[in-house]
């Protein structure tokens, strides 16, 4: 928000966000970039805030809760390239799938090593957009966090 401008902030979430809102938020912010021209980028606010669109100008640092009247929207894939990107078994699964495999005690069966899992963990943190991690985001993105284990999980009470 431009500090020289009076802006009314959107209403805050009353419930902290639903599972559906979190899935939409993660999908919206981590897979595609929506550019409007004049260096405006569209993002979605965190579900604990209000799960609504906002626009950020990468040149001026201004945040707007009303869509700027500039250009047309172009959608492009988020550039997730970085030096940490590798190949191998741990790179072929989503964080959710990695969590399930490890929770069920099958990491070794799939050829996962501690070193490769550590590299993948660093990659997940380095490429996560936007760079805000709430407890919900942490549980979703961090495949090594087993919070909410199923009661049928054979490793449920293990240390």
């Amino acid at each position: 928000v431009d500090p020289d401008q009076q802006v009314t902030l959107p209403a805050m979430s009353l419930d902290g966000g639903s599972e559906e809102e979190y899935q939409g938020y993660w999908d919206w912010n981590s897979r595609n970039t929506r550019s409007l021209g004049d260096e405006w980028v569209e993002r979605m606010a965190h579900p604990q805030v209000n799960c609504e669109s906002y626009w950020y100008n990468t040149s001026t640092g201004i945040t707007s809760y009303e869509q700027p009247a500039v250009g047309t929207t172009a959608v492009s894939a988020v550039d997730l390239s970085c030096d940490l990107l590798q190949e191998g078994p741990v790179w072929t699964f989503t964080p959710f799938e990695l969590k399930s495999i490890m929770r069920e005690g099958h990491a070794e069966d799939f050829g996962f090593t501690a070193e490769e899992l550590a590299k993948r963990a660093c990659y997940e943190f380095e490429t996560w957009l936007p760079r805000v991690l709430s407890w919900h985001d942490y549980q979703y993105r961090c495949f090594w966090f087993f919070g909410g284990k199923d009661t049928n999980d054979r490793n449920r009470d293990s240390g």
Side-chain angles (χ1 to χ4, degrees):
V1 177
D2 185 344
D4 298 327
Q5 181 182 5
Q6 288 285 358
V7 176
T8 302
L9 295 176
M12 298 294 283
S13 171
L14 298 177
D15 65 1
S18 66
E19 178 68 21
E20 182 178 322
E21 288 174 321
Y22 275 95
Q23 293 294 336
Y25 163 77
W26 292 318
D27 185 58
W28 181 274
N29 287 316
S30 66
R31 288 184 177 46
N32 297 305
T33 297
R34 290 160 182 87
S35 304
L36 277 72
D38 290 342
E39 301 188 53
W40 285 98
V41 177
E42 183 179 359
R43 292 278 186 219
M44 180 181 284
H46 196 278
Q48 288 179 310
V49 177
N50 65 11
C51 209
E52 293 180 15
S53 293
Y54 69 91
W55 294 265
Y56 176 74
N57 189 293
T58 59
S59 177
T60 64
I62 293 174
T63 299
S64 175
Y65 298 100
E66 295 179 13
Q67 183 172 348
V70 294
T72 59
T73 302
V75 178
S76 59
V78 170
D79 180 10
L80 297 178
S81 61
C82 73
D83 294 339
L84 299 170
L85 186 59
Q86 306 279 319
E87 292 184 12
V90 302
W91 301 92
T92 59
F93 297 96
T94 65
F96 180 79
E97 292 168 329
L98 287 171
K99 184 184 286 195
S100 295
I101 291 167
M102 291 172 30
R103 180 177 41 223
E104 294 168 8
H106 296 297
E108 192 174 302
D109 299 340
F110 282 86
F112 298 173
T113 65
E115 182 178 347
E116 288 302 308
L117 288 165
K119 288 178 185 177
R120 176 66 187 270
C122 290
Y123 171 81
E124 290 300 325
F125 275 111
E126 290 298 318
T127 60
W128 176 254
L129 292 171
R131 291 195 178 268
V132 173
L133 282 176
S134 74
W135 182 244
H136 302 88
D137 302 322
Y138 180 82
Q139 291 180 65
Y140 178 75
R141 283 305 269 203
C142 302
F143 53 84
W144 56 92
F145 176 77
F146 296 165
K149 289 184 178 182
D150 298 330
T151 55
N152 295 332
D153 184 353
R154 66 184 181 134
N155 297 315
R156 182 171 183 253
D157 295 321
S158 61

